[in-house]
Amino acid sequence: MADVKQQRVTVIGGGLAGTECAYQLARRGVPVVLREMKPHKRSPAHKSDQLAELVCSNSLRSDNPESAIGLLHAELRALGSLVLGSADANRVPAGDALAVERERFSAAITQSLLGLPGVELVAGEVEKLPEDGPVVIATGPLTSDALTAELERYVGTKLYFYDSIAPILSGDSIDLDIAFRQSRYGKGGGDDYLNLPMNRDEYYRFIAEVKAGQKVVPHSFEEPKYFEGCLPIEVMAERGDDTLAYGPMKPVGLRDPRTGKEPHAVVQLRMEDTAGTAWNMVGFQTRLTWGDQKRIFTNCIPGLQNAEFLRMGQIHRNTFIDSPRLLSKDLSLKGESRLYFAGQVSGVEGYVESAACGYLVALALHARLEGREWVPPPATTAMGALYRHVTGEAHPPDYPHQPSNIIFGLFPPLTGRMKKADKRAAYSARAKQDLAAWLPHAGVPGTGAPGHEEQRSA
C-alpha cells in the first residue's frame, strides 16, 4: 500500500465542498494545499474572508431523517463530516430545519481545517491548473472567468443556470406589533420564525407590484435557466397569481394571534444569528432591482414599512459541468484522471449536497493514493443516491444533466407495496441499515463522529 503522506493533493476552492474534501483527506494523512482566491479576490456574491462562506441562505434545510436532506445530514454525521459538525455546534432555532449562525459556522470550519497537520492554505486566484499531482476542482457555481477558461480546455463548453439570493433584514427594524413568532404546526421550538401576515387584498397588491417591478436582465447572449428548487419570486408570480401563496408564502399551520385565523398569505423570516439581530426572508430570492425590492417590500408587506435591509436580493450565474459524460466512476475526469470535480460545479445543488460530494471525492482519491479499489456508498443511501446523480446512474442515458438537490427520486425504488405515508420511513430505515454495512469502506478515523470535538470548541 502506497504511503499517502508522500503525495500532496491540491484542492481549489474553499467553499463547503472544498473544505470538506480537504478536511477528510488531511484526517487520513494526505497532505493538502487548499487554494482559495479570497481575500485577494471575491465573486460578486461573497463578502467574508472566512472559508465555507454561506451565500444564499443560512439554512441547511430539514433535519428530519425521514426527509431526503435530513437523511443526508444523518449520514454525514455518522461519517464525521466537518460541515455537519460545525453546523450542529452553531445552529440557530429554525423549526425542524438545520439553520446556522453564518459567521460562527464559517469560523469553526476555518479553524478546524487549518488546525489539522498537513493543511496549507494558499490565497490568490488560480488561473492555471497545477501541472503535477492530483487536483480537486471545487470552485463552486461562481468559478472565476480565468479558471473557467482554463477548465474549458478539459471539459469543453460549460453549462449554467441562474440562482438567486434572498434579502436579509435588521431585526430591530421589523414591526413586532404586526409580526408574530410561530413555526408551522409548532415545529422546533414552536416560535422559531417571524411571520408577516397578509390578507387577500394585500397579497394580490403585492403580486401585482412584483410582476410590474423592474428586474435585473441577463446578458443578451444568456438564456435564463433557473433551478426549480430556488425560483425567484417574480418567476413564481408570473406562473400564476396564487403560486406564491401555495409556495414560500403559504399560511398553513399558522394563526395570526391578532385575529385567531389563518392569514391569506405570510412572509416568513428566519433568524440569521442566535441574538435575532438579522432575519432572512424565507424563499424570497429575487432578481428585482435593489430599488424596487426596497420599494415593494416596504410598501406592500405589513410589518416592513421601516425595514432596514442588511443585504438585498441578488442573482448570479451558476456554472456546472456535464458530469455523467465527463467523469469516471471515481469522480475523476476521463482522459485526465488526476483531475477531480466536487460540489456544485459537478452538478449537485445545495450546501449539504456540496459537502457530501466533497467527502465522496476525498474517499475516492484516498483509495487511489493507497492503491486500492474504491467502493462507492450503496445506492440506497443518501450519499449513494447523490453519487448516482453525479455519475448519471440515477437517470436514463440520454437524460440532460441538471443540478439537483438530494431527493428520494434519485434513490432506487422501494420494493413491495406500502402506503405513501410510510415510504419516507422505509427509505430512511433501508438507508440506515445499508450505510452501517458500508461504513468500514469509508475508513473513518477514530470512532463516533471524529473531529466534532474540535469544532465545538472553535
Side-chain angles (χ1 to χ4, degrees):
M1 187 174 290
D3 183 1
V4 298
K5 294 182 179 179
Q6 303 301 317
Q7 304 179 69
R8 177 174 292 190
V9 173
T10 300
V11 177
I12 304 176
L16 297 182
T19 53
E20 188 72 68
C21 183
Y23 183 81
Q24 299 305 333
L25 286 169
R27 288 178 67 202
R28 290 162 173 80
V30 179
V32 176
V33 176
L34 180 63
R35 303 290 304 273
E36 167 56 48
M37 66 181 185
K38 296 190 300 183
H40 302 307
K41 183 177 180 180
R42 295 186 180 88
S43 76
H46 290 90
K47 308 298 180 186
S48 167
D49 289 341
Q50 299 279 9
L51 300 173
E53 180 182 356
L54 300 184
V55 174
C56 298
S57 168
N58 70 323
S59 174
L60 277 60
R61 312 202 313 282
S62 174
D63 205 30
N64 183 342
E66 291 188 3
S67 68
I69 184 62
L71 180 56
L72 186 59
H73 289 179
E75 292 181 4
L76 285 168
R77 289 186 180 105
L79 287 162
S81 161
L82 169 65
V83 167
L84 260 292
S86 297
D88 286 337
N90 295 287
R91 67 188 303 163
V92 297
D96 70 350
L98 175 57
V100 303
E101 188 167 286
R102 293 175 192 253
E103 292 185 5
R104 283 169 39 188
F105 168 79
S106 297
I109 288 180
T110 302
Q111 182 175 336
S112 294
L113 177 59
L114 300 185
L116 283 179
V119 176
E120 178 186 359
L121 175 63
V122 177
E125 181 180 4
V126 176
E127 297 183 353
K128 298 290 183 182
L129 295 179
E131 296 182 358
D132 300 310
V135 178
V136 178
I137 294 102
T139 47
L142 299 177
T143 302
S144 70
D145 291 343
L147 185 55
T148 295
E150 169 75 353
L151 291 175
E152 285 177 350
R153 295 172 46 206
Y154 300 92
V155 302
T157 302
K158 298 176 75 65
L159 307 175
Y160 67 91
F161 68 100
Y162 281 87
D163 200 1
S164 303
I165 298 174
I168 295 176
L169 307 171
S170 172
D172 59 11
S173 70
I174 300 164
D175 188 345
L176 298 181
D177 289 332
I178 295 175
F180 62 94
R181 294 193 68 144
Q182 192 179 126
S183 303
R184 287 195 175 95
Y185 303 110
K187 290 182 178 180
D191 61 352
D192 295 343
Y193 290 81
L194 274 178
N195 301 278
L196 307 173
M198 286 185 176
N199 61 33
R200 189 180 189 277
D201 290 343
E202 289 168 337
Y203 172 76
Y204 286 114
R205 177 187 171 221
F206 170 73
I207 294 299
E209 288 286 348
V210 168
K211 291 167 71 173
Q214 186 177 0
K215 286 85 176 178
V216 176
V217 180
H219 294 295
S220 59
F221 59 85
E222 297 175 333
E223 175 191 355
K225 302 177 183 179
Y226 298 104
F227 175 56
E228 282 293 322
C230 194
L231 290 173
I233 57 170
E234 60 277 2
V235 172
M236 286 188 274
E238 289 164 1
R239 293 183 173 184
D241 287 355
D242 295 323
T243 302
L244 280 163
Y246 286 93
M249 296 180 69
K250 62 185 177 184
V252 295
L254 298 169
R255 287 287 184 273
D256 185 346
R258 296 179 303 168
T259 65
K261 298 179 181 179
E262 181 179 282
H264 184 83
V266 297
V267 177
Q268 281 205 307
L269 307 179
R270 181 182 58 238
M271 277 195 290
E272 283 281 325
D273 58 359
T274 52
T277 62
W279 294 77
N280 185 290
M281 298 180 70
V282 178
F284 262 59
Q285 51 276 356
T286 181
R287 61 186 175 97
L288 287 166
T289 62
W290 288 8
D292 268 13
Q293 285 181 54
K294 186 171 183 179
R295 178 183 63 82
I296 295 170
F297 296 166
T298 55
N299 290 335
C300 298
I301 300 177
L304 297 189
Q305 60 270 18
N306 297 312
E308 176 188 353
F309 290 82
L310 302 179
R311 183 187 72 186
M312 305 303 295
Q314 301 178 41
I315 186 168
H316 58 268
R317 175 171 157 162
N318 278 2
T319 306
F320 63 97
I321 65 171
D322 193 1
S323 296
R325 293 159 185 81
L326 290 171
L327 301 185
S328 301
K329 297 306 180 184
D330 67 349
L331 306 177
S332 65
L333 189 65
K334 295 176 182 177
E336 188 67 44
S337 61
R338 71 186 185 90
L339 301 184
Y340 289 77
F341 287 79
Q344 286 186 261
V345 73
S346 67
V348 301
E349 174 64 16
Y351 294 141
V352 182
E353 290 88 339
S354 295
C357 192
Y359 201 122
L360 289 172
V361 168
L363 291 181
L365 181 47
H366 182 242
R368 174 184 287 186
L369 294 177
E370 287 195 329
R372 56 181 173 81
E373 182 180 359
W374 179 52
V375 179
T380 52
T381 65
M383 294 285 284
L386 205 62
Y387 170 80
R388 277 163 47 85
H389 169 67
V390 172
T391 58
E393 294 178 14
H395 307 292
D398 58 348
Y399 188 86
H401 186 51
Q402 289 291 322
S404 177
N405 292 124
I406 183 68
I407 55 174
F408 283 127
L410 299 178
F411 291 63
L414 296 164
T415 57
R417 299 185 65 179
M418 65 185 67
K419 295 179 180 178
K420 184 177 181 180
D422 297 332
K423 285 188 174 181
R424 289 191 170 196
Y427 275 118
S428 182
R430 183 181 68 173
K432 183 177 180 180
Q433 178 179 333
D434 292 352
L435 182 80
W438 173 78
L439 273 178
H441 294 288
V444 180
T447 58
H452 289 211
E453 294 78 14
E454 298 95 323
Q455 291 146 22
R456 291 192 184 100
S457 63

